[in-house]
């Protein structure tokens, strides 16, 4: 299923998208899409609604240095033996088409194309890697926008990764997808910048979920960013940045000055 969250004349709803691109229709869902889905009977043409970030998470847990080629381009020797965790605030999340706003205090803001995992079960805590995939609701595209200069000068990453609008996700959540070997790409104004594959992940999705769940309870809708492949680079005001993942479509955001 392709789960969307959308704005319509009567408010905001989750829905299930059917069909292709602009010809798609959205079947509105009552409440949230976790557990058994209940349809309201209302249907919308894609052209008559606006897609929002497909979820509003309680937290965004991110993994750093999880592709060897990205570790190398950042000047590192080898990926960490254990996953490297950091958090983005929920207020950084924006949806497809929403602008990334460059903070005035940074001279270099980079794109990072990443596969995002959406948790679907209540209270995922201390789960094994073998059981981890059962806690997945679905997947979407993400951009781990990063103020690279502040990341280096601050010594830790909260400010560099946490500005409002620094976590675009979308355009929807695909619930049935094998993510073992998907192409992950980033384009800036149509120029290919990143072109990796999820098969290059140092720590697998199952390993990451298990690892994170030993530390903090994962709630329905929580988002896990799985790291970025090589090719990260700056985005500047006026540009448009797109993250595409096989089977998940394309997440596009304009870049605006503060
Ligand atoms: Mg990243």
């Amino acid at each position: 299923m392709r789960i969307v969250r959308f704005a319509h004349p009567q408010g905001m709803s989750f829905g299930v998208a059917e069909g292709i691109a602009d010809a798609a229709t959205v079947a509105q869902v009552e409440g949230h899409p976790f557990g058994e889905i209940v349809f309201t009977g209302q249907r919308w043409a894609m052209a008559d609604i606006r897609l929002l970030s497909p979820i509003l998470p309680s937290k965004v847990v991110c993994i750093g240095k999880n592709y060897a080629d990205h570790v190398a381009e950042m000047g590192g020797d080898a990926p960490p033996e254990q996953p490297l965790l950091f958090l983005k605030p929920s207020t950084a999340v924006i949806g497809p088409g929403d602008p990334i706003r460059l903070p005035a205090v940074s001279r270099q803001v980079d794109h990072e194309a990443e596969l995002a995992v959406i948790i679907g079960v209540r209270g995922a805590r201390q789960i094994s890697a073998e059981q981890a995939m059962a806690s997945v609701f679905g997947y979407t595209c993400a951009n781990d926008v990063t103020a690279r200069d502040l990341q280096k000068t601050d010594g830790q990453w909260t400010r560099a990764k946490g500005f409002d609008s620094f976590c675009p996700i979308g355009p929807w959540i695909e619930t049935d997808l094998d993510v073992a070997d998907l192409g992950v790409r980033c384009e800036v104004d149509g120029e290919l910048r990143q072109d990796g594959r999820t098969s290059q992940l140092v720590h697998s999705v199952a390993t990451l979920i298990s690892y994170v769940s030993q530390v903090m309870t994962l709630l329905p809708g929580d988002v896990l960013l799985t790291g970025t492949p090589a090719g990260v680079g700056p985005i500047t005001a006026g540009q448009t940045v797109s993250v595409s993942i096989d089977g998940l479509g394309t997440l596009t955001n304009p870049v605006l000055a503060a």
Side-chain angles (χ1 to χ4, degrees):
M1 268 185 310
R2 182 168 286 181
I3 305 289
V4 296
R5 198 172 67 93
F6 63 102
H8 53 80
Q10 278 112 56
M12 249 179 249
S13 299
F14 285 98
V16 176
E18 291 152 0
I20 300 167
D22 292 341
T25 56
V26 171
Q28 191 173 321
V29 166
E30 215 167 275
H32 62 70
F34 303 106
E36 197 186 338
I37 284 184
V38 180
F39 291 101
T40 63
Q42 176 85 54
R43 298 185 72 86
W44 301 90
M46 198 61 105
D48 296 333
I49 61 174
R50 185 167 67 87
L51 292 184
L52 305 170
S53 75
I55 198 73
L56 292 175
S58 82
K59 55 186 170 292
V60 181
V61 188
C62 307
I63 316 300
K65 305 183 181 180
N66 202 30
Y67 286 78
D69 57 359
H70 172 60
V71 174
E73 78 176 345
M74 299 307 287
D77 296 329
E81 277 180 32
Q82 305 253 46
L84 173 64
L85 305 189
F86 64 95
L87 293 169
K88 277 179 186 281
S90 59
T91 42
V93 172
I94 59 172
D98 293 339
I100 298 166
R101 292 183 185 277
L102 303 175
V105 293
S106 173
R107 299 267 83 78
Q108 187 188 341
V109 173
D110 281 8
H111 57 80
E112 293 190 359
E114 309 203 2
L115 171 71
V117 182
I118 317 296
I119 299 297
V121 295
R122 186 164 292 283
R125 186 169 169 268
Q126 297 189 341
I127 46 182
S128 67
E130 291 71 35
Q131 296 168 324
M133 298 312 271
S135 64
V136 173
F137 178 66
Y139 304 91
T140 192
C141 307
N143 192 341
D144 174 18
V145 180
T146 302
R148 195 68 70 198
D149 50 351
L150 305 185
Q151 184 186 28
K152 286 170 183 159
T153 55
D154 282 4
Q156 49 80 21
W157 305 356
T158 303
R159 186 166 69 132
K161 302 273 196 178
F163 285 97
D164 289 353
S165 80
F166 270 29
C167 190
I169 57 172
W172 44 65
I173 298 169
E174 198 65 64
T175 58
D176 304 301
L177 189 66
D178 179 355
V179 296
D181 185 27
L182 301 178
V184 178
R185 288 169 296 278
C186 181
E187 291 185 2
V188 177
D189 286 346
E191 179 200 333
L192 187 64
R193 295 272 194 92
Q194 294 181 270
D195 189 10
R197 300 199 70 81
T198 55
S199 51
Q200 300 169 316
L201 285 173
V202 175
H203 300 289
S204 69
V205 170
T207 301
L208 295 175
I209 293 170
S210 173
Y211 188 84
V212 173
S213 79
Q214 310 304 315
V215 180
M216 61 191 88
T217 301
L218 293 167
L219 302 176
D222 278 355
V223 174
L224 215 79
L225 302 194
T226 55
T228 198
V232 301
I235 46 176
T236 54
Q239 290 184 317
T240 298
V241 57
S242 295
V243 174
S244 304
I245 299 179
D246 297 340
L248 288 177
T250 300
L251 166 68
T252 300
N253 299 93
V255 183
L256 296 185

